[in-house]
Amino acid sequence: MVSLRFPFLFSQPTNLPGTPQNHHRNASSRHFSATLAAATGVGAAAAAGVAVVSQNPNHPFLQNAVNLLFRDHSSPPWGSLSLADGSAPVVESKTGVSFPSVLGNSLRLLGIGLRKKSILGLKNIDVYAFGVYANGDDLRKLLSEKYGKLSATELKDNKDFNNDLMEADICMTVRLQIVYSKLSIRSVRSAFEESVGSRLQKFGGSDNKELLQRFTSQFKDEYKIPMGSVIDLIRERGHILKTTIDGKEVGSIQSKLLCRSILDLYIGEDPFDRRAKEDVEVNAASFLQK
């Protein structure tokens, strides 16, 4: 069997919340299935010690488990993925939402995260989980000449690399999976008016109300988005932003500024989930060293 191997790294959560039994059938939210074999070796011990570890993150049990898991890896602890295991989904640990590692035939999952919203500054609710995908061939073609000699560590938090990732004509998709059961399409429209509107102003000045209205008007009241609904924000070649809801296209707009503004929400200077942004940068950089 022909095998394509490439490394991926997903950040690990800082604590160890209880994990439902069916989650062990998938890859963890921050590792592809290639690390699963190593994790299985310490699984039984982890189950026995989880109560102790949850109270003390520095407990020797946790340190020994981590050392065992990564003892054969140099920094960073890459996972190796072949075509055989490339179809394994990746699960966001807090919500249990899974993301396919590949969309279509060419978009590879680079990072997953969680969009939270504060209510009156008193409580945070989980609104949706999201995954960021990119075309690996586009990454290599458009960015390897400039960044191919730099390591993934050097490219992490590299502003030029991050800007080029958002500016270049790279096919990318941000997939949103709704986890808040009371979310309405009107709330989505209002949230994008605020967040995308601020980015349009940041990158293009104040005279972009028509462009913002064209985008937000796609989210019509007739569309229902119960928990589990999927919204795809797709940047196609030519800086065309296509929006789909549960697989149905609801609009398409050609605008480099709009595409940049959308991506900035997830991988820009002030992203919704900083850890997800870091994963995207590191995993995008891994394509350039091939």
Side-chain angles (χ1 to χ4, degrees):
M1 179 177 64
V2 177
S3 179
L4 173 66
R5 307 187 71 84
F6 50 94
F8 280 100
L9 174 68
F10 280 83
S11 302
Q12 293 298 298
T14 54
N15 48 25
L16 296 175
T19 304
Q21 184 177 4
N22 65 330
H23 285 184
H24 294 295
R25 298 172 188 170
N26 297 319
S28 80
S29 67
R30 299 296 182 182
H31 271 287
F32 281 110
S33 61
T35 60
L36 210 61
T40 302
V42 296
V50 65
V52 176
V53 173
S54 64
Q55 299 299 320
N56 181 10
N58 296 319
H59 194 280
F61 173 86
L62 178 59
Q63 301 301 322
N64 291 339
V66 172
N67 290 338
L68 175 61
L69 183 60
F70 295 122
R71 65 183 178 183
D72 293 328
H73 295 278
S74 58
S75 181
W78 301 114
S80 181
L81 180 71
S82 71
L83 287 177
D85 54 20
S87 61
V90 181
V91 179
E92 199 288 312
S93 59
K94 185 175 181 182
T95 62
V97 171
S98 65
F99 291 86
S101 59
V102 181
L103 284 183
N105 296 319
S106 60
L107 296 180
R108 301 286 176 168
L109 181 61
L110 301 181
I112 58 177
L114 192 59
R115 171 62 164 135
K116 298 181 179 181
K117 187 69 175 178
S118 176
I119 300 179
L120 301 177
L122 301 175
K123 179 182 179 181
N124 284 328
I125 61 171
D126 300 331
V127 182
Y128 59 79
F130 64 87
V132 180
Y133 295 78
N135 183 296
D137 291 336
D138 287 351
L139 289 169
R140 282 187 289 269
K141 178 181 177 181
L142 298 173
L143 300 182
S144 61
E145 181 177 351
K146 185 175 181 180
Y147 300 106
K149 294 182 180 180
L150 299 178
S151 68
T153 302
E154 291 173 308
L155 291 176
K156 181 181 177 181
D157 294 327
N158 183 308
K159 290 186 177 181
D160 289 340
F161 177 63
N162 183 264
N163 285 335
D164 286 342
L165 188 60
M166 291 187 286
E167 288 279 352
D169 196 11
I170 298 169
C171 290
M172 298 183 70
T173 291
V174 181
R175 167 161 289 189
L176 319 180
Q177 297 200 54
I178 308 302
V179 298
Y180 183 54
S181 60
K182 298 180 181 180
L183 188 67
S184 68
I185 196 71
R186 182 175 299 179
S187 297
V188 171
R189 187 169 60 243
S190 176
F192 277 137
E193 285 175 351
E194 178 183 350
S195 58
V196 178
S198 68
R199 265 60 173 194
L200 289 174
Q201 184 172 3
K202 174 182 177 181
F203 299 121
S206 59
D207 190 22
N208 290 290
K209 293 182 180 180
E210 181 181 352
L211 178 59
L212 177 62
Q213 197 277 332
R214 287 176 60 199
F215 172 66
T216 57
S217 65
Q218 297 175 143
F219 300 93
K220 303 181 187 301
D221 289 340
E222 63 195 71
Y223 299 132
K224 307 300 180 183
I225 49 169
M227 186 168 60
S229 296
V230 175
I231 300 174
D232 283 339
L233 304 173
I234 306 164
R235 179 172 71 179
E236 298 182 326
R237 287 190 178 87
H239 299 281
I240 297 172
L241 181 72
K242 182 171 73 174
T243 305
T244 68
I245 299 178
D246 289 331
K248 177 183 178 181
E249 182 175 345
V250 298
S252 183
I253 302 172
Q254 197 283 326
S255 171
K256 185 175 182 179
L257 174 60
L258 180 60
C259 290
R260 167 68 188 267
S261 298
I262 293 291
L263 290 173
D264 190 76
L265 299 175
Y266 303 96
I267 59 175
E269 289 184 350
D270 187 22
F272 290 150
D273 189 322
R274 185 159 299 278
R275 181 170 291 168
K277 172 196 173 178
E278 294 173 353
D279 285 345
V280 169
E281 290 175 341
V282 172
N283 289 323
S286 72
F287 278 96
L288 309 184
Q289 279 84 49
K290 295 180 176 61

